[in-house]
Amino acid sequence: SYARGGERIDVAPRDPTAPAPAPTPAATDADEPASGPGIARLHLELSRPANVQVFQVMSDMVAVAGNVTVVGMTYRPVCTSPCDKLIDGSQGHSFFFGGDRLTASRRFTLTGHSGDVTAKVRPGRKGLFVGGVVLASVAPAVIMTGVTWLILRDFGGLTEYDDMGNELPMKPKPSAAGPVALMVVGGAMIAGGIVMAVLGRTRFKLSQRGLGVLRPLRFG
């Protein structure tokens, strides 16, 4: 027995023949979530070498000031390729693929998924995507220039008179080849820009792993 704070406390002696209590394992931040619906071990297969990360969307936000609306979101990295980590999506969180100098993919959820899931990811190039957007944005101005040129061309064939009121020889109408070619180029720029933007996006396909069979789940 011993005294603590003026109070006597009796302590029973330990039986030397009794087994020692097992130590309690310390909890770590690296502990993975338990398995269950919406919790999947995600494995990334890339179409080309890249540092692809999986991000979890934490919240979305919208700010309105006058006629300007700003949309944003907060997110955090979950794992980096090849990942091979249990991802907890049981609360309905959204995820997306991205990374340095890579475009972000569409969002996806793991709701209803469990077990081993493979994500076949085609990393998008940010430069290709931005170039496609710029090209498609400039194209309408090129087309409108061609249309304006074609309209103004019609004034080249009007009858003209001199200071005495005598009719001058009619000038031939300028060729339509230039403005038509400009409009064709503008149309090709729109088509090319759309293709570049699509190819520049990060795309993926989720497949369920198990029993040696890959079952497609979702495209993005």
Side-chain angles (χ1 to χ4, degrees):
S1 65
Y2 64 94
R4 184 181 63 184
E7 180 182 359
R8 180 174 177 175
I9 301 176
D10 295 324
V11 180
R14 178 179 176 274
D15 185 357
T17 62
T24 302
T28 64
D29 294 337
D31 290 342
E32 294 183 325
S35 60
I39 301 176
R41 184 176 297 277
L42 190 62
H43 172 73
L44 272 59
E45 293 182 0
L46 309 182
S47 61
R48 66 177 179 88
N51 187 31
V52 177
Q53 291 181 286
V54 180
F55 294 93
Q56 177 182 341
V57 178
M58 306 303 295
S59 63
D60 292 289
M61 39 190 181
V62 179
V64 180
N67 295 327
V68 179
T69 302
V70 179
V71 180
M73 68 177 176
T74 59
Y75 54 89
R76 68 179 182 92
V78 176
C79 67
T80 303
S81 56
C83 193
D84 293 323
K85 178 181 176 181
L86 280 176
I87 307 297
D88 188 356
S90 58
Q91 301 301 315
H93 288 295
S94 296
F95 303 88
F96 65 91
F97 300 104
D100 184 30
R101 288 184 288 185
L102 301 177
T103 55
S105 71
R106 297 183 184 275
R107 298 186 187 185
F108 66 94
T109 65
L110 295 175
T111 304
H113 303 171
S114 62
D116 294 332
V117 174
T118 295
K120 294 185 177 181
V121 183
R122 187 174 67 187
R125 291 179 169 86
K126 188 173 291 185
L128 185 63
F129 177 79
V130 173
V133 172
V134 172
L135 193 64
S137 301
V138 172
V142 175
I143 294 176
M144 287 306 300
T145 301
V147 171
T148 304
W149 185 3
L150 190 63
I151 293 174
L152 294 177
R153 160 188 168 273
D154 293 335
F155 291 98
L158 295 179
T159 303
E160 295 182 0
Y161 301 88
D162 60 16
D163 295 338
M164 303 298 295
N166 298 319
E167 183 176 337
L168 296 174
M170 183 176 293
K171 295 179 181 179
K173 227 181 232 187
S175 172
V180 170
L182 205 58
M183 289 187 288
V184 171
V185 169
M189 289 173 62
I190 290 180
I194 293 175
V195 171
M196 288 173 61
V198 171
L199 294 179
R201 290 200 62 131
T202 296
R203 299 178 62 82
F204 65 91
K205 179 175 72 174
L206 295 181
S207 301
Q208 185 77 45
R209 292 190 294 172
L211 303 178
V213 178
L214 291 180
R215 180 168 55 88
L217 293 179
R218 179 185 177 89
F219 294 87

